[in-house]
Structures are given as C-alpha cells and as structure tokens.
C-alpha cells in the first residue's frame, strides 16, 4: 500500500489553500460545525491563505453578513482540523456562488438579483400531506374551473 501523508505538525505554517479546499469538500471541516453554521457557509469556498489568515468567499454581501456570526466557530473548526490557530475573514466572492438565475424576457443589460433562501426555516414533515392519487387530467381541471362548460372532442 502506498504511504499516507501525515498531517503537518501543529504550528508548522504549512496551511495551504488546496488542503482547506479538500477538507471543505470532503466534509472534514463542515462536520465540525453546527447545522446552522454548516448550512449558511456551504455556499462559500476558500479563496486565500496567508500564514494563519484564511479568507473565505461567499456569493454576495447579504450572505456574507448573515455568516459573520459564525466566523469564530468556523475559525475554531479550521484550527482544530489543521492543528494551529487561524483567523478567518469572510469576503464577497461572486465566483463562490452559482450564477444568478436569469428570467426569460428580462433585459440582459441588468443582471437579476439572486434570491436569498433562509436555511433557518424548518419544515415539520409530519404536517405534509400527499397529493391525491387520482389527480385530475388537464381537461378535467378545465371543466372544474368553468362549471357548466361542455367538452367537445374534435376529430
């Protein structure tokens, strides 16, 4: 079996961007965060490492602002993972997020604003109901929408 590279010793200053990206993509870091922090930070990615200063990019200013409360927890998770104390800066990095959705017919000169979803909203699955198994066809739904109408078949 090929030898496995051991993690760098604590405080060695060998923190690299690629190591952090692999740990983030492999859930090694995300698994150290609570659910709310993990959900909010998942949209971002590491953009730079300078010594023990880590820069993490998020897709827009609003998202970055909403993640500020998790900066300390995130820095602690990274520090525990790499074995040395790090500090984290959150920045807006459009490349960190998916491109904004385009609306058909919208003027292309003005980009559409991305919709901010709230990861805090929890759904009680026990309150959900299934759709009827006997879903009405399109014609049946039209007949229900226009009572008294007559449906004629054309040949």
């Amino acid at each position: 079996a090929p030898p496995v590279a051991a993690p760098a010793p604590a405080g060695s200053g060998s923190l690299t961007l690629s190591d952090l990206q692999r740990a983030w993509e492999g859930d090694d870091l995300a698994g150290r965060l609570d659910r709310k922090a993990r959900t909010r930070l998942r949209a971002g990615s590491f953009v730079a490492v300078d010594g023990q200063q880590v820069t993490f990019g998020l897709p827009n200013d609003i998202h970055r602002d909403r993640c500020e409360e998790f900066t300390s927890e995130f820095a602690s998770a990274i520090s525990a993972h790499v074995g040395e104390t790090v500090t984290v800066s959150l920045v807006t990095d459009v490349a960190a997020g998916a491109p904004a959705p385009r609306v058909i017919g919208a003027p292309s000169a003005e980009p559409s604003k991305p919709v901010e979803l709230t990861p805090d909203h929890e759904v009680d699955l026990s309150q959900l109901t299934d759709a009827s198994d006997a879903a009405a066809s399109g014609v049946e739904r039209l007949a229900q929408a226009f009572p008294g109408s007559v449906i004629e078949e054309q040949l």
Side-chain angles (χ1 to χ4, degrees):
V4 177
S12 67
S14 61
L15 184 60
T16 67
L17 182 60
S18 62
D19 290 340
L20 286 177
Q21 288 169 330
R22 276 194 303 277
W24 186 242
E25 292 165 5
D27 282 341
D28 295 339
L29 287 175
R32 295 175 183 264
L33 300 171
D34 73 30
R35 182 189 59 82
K36 190 174 180 181
R38 184 174 46 244
T39 301
R40 289 220 186 134
L41 291 165
R42 188 46 89 180
S45 63
F46 291 98
V47 292
V49 174
D50 183 13
Q52 278 71 40
Q53 175 62 47
V54 174
T55 305
F56 191 78
L58 292 153
N60 57 55
D61 291 337
I62 294 169
H63 199 112
R64 186 202 61 226
D65 292 347
R66 294 192 71 204
C67 290
E68 284 292 335
E69 68 181 285
F70 304 110
T71 305
S72 177
E73 179 184 349
F74 196 29
S76 295
I78 296 168
S79 297
H81 177 74
V82 300
E84 55 188 285
T85 302
V86 301
T87 56
V88 174
S89 295
L90 301 180
V91 297
T92 300
D93 177 27
V94 234
R102 296 201 59 104
V103 178
I104 295 174
S108 59
E110 183 146 348
S112 59
K113 226 177 177 182
V115 175
E116 179 77 23
L117 297 179
T118 308
D120 302 336
H121 182 74
E122 293 189 26
V123 176
D124 183 358
L125 297 178
S126 66
Q127 293 181 355
L128 297 178
T129 57
D130 290 333
S132 168
D133 288 336
S137 72
V139 173
E140 291 169 334
R141 288 192 308 238
L142 280 171
Q144 291 170 355
F146 299 98
S149 62
V150 177
I151 300 172
E152 295 183 3
E153 289 189 25
Q154 294 195 357
L155 301 174

